[in-house]
Amino acid sequence: MELVISDAAIKWFKDEVGIKSGDHVKFHARYGGASPIQKGFSLGFSKEEAPVNIAASTTADGILFFVDESDLWYFDGHDLFVEYNEQYDEVEYIYKKS
């Protein structure tokens, strides 16, 4: 699985969430919401202390973005691209089959 974060999305995490160099951001499955790849689930994120079982990750501006092995099922063979949606002023998730 590939995890890609756009520069604009990184800026959003810094400006809106207060994420800074040295922080860890975990993308995880959550019950409820809408997703094009998992019915009844959606993707969320949280600031974490230290990752344990990383399945996919990328580091940008000193920030580690990752998916834990326990959430890998959610992606169902898709890569995750995190982009910034200017119209809604929020990040959006784009899934592409590996």
Side-chain angles (χ1 to χ4, degrees):
M1 175 188 170
E2 185 177 6
L3 173 58
V4 178
I5 316 289
S6 73
D7 290 342
I10 293 166
K11 183 177 181 335
W12 182 88
F13 275 102
K14 288 177 168 182
D15 294 347
E16 297 297 323
V17 185
I19 301 297
K20 61 188 180 315
S21 181
D23 287 342
H24 310 104
V25 177
K26 176 183 176 181
F27 294 101
H28 56 86
R30 61 183 186 178
Y31 184 71
S35 164
I37 57 174
Q38 292 291 346
K39 185 176 180 178
F41 291 88
S42 60
L43 191 64
F45 67 85
S46 59
K47 183 177 169 185
E48 297 287 318
E49 288 301 316
V52 178
N53 297 313
I54 296 176
S57 67
T58 189
T59 302
D61 286 355
I63 304 164
L64 175 67
F65 296 90
F66 72 98
V67 173
D68 192 85
E69 287 179 3
S70 65
D71 289 307
L72 201 53
W73 65 270
Y74 172 84
F75 297 94
D76 188 33
H78 291 79
D79 294 328
L80 174 62
F81 294 82
V82 182
E83 302 285 343
Y84 171 69
N85 183 314
E86 190 172 333
Q87 180 180 356
Y88 296 110
D89 189 27
E90 62 185 27
V91 291
E92 67 180 335
Y93 306 121
I94 300 167
Y95 306 95
K96 296 182 183 176
K97 196 71 170 170
S98 302

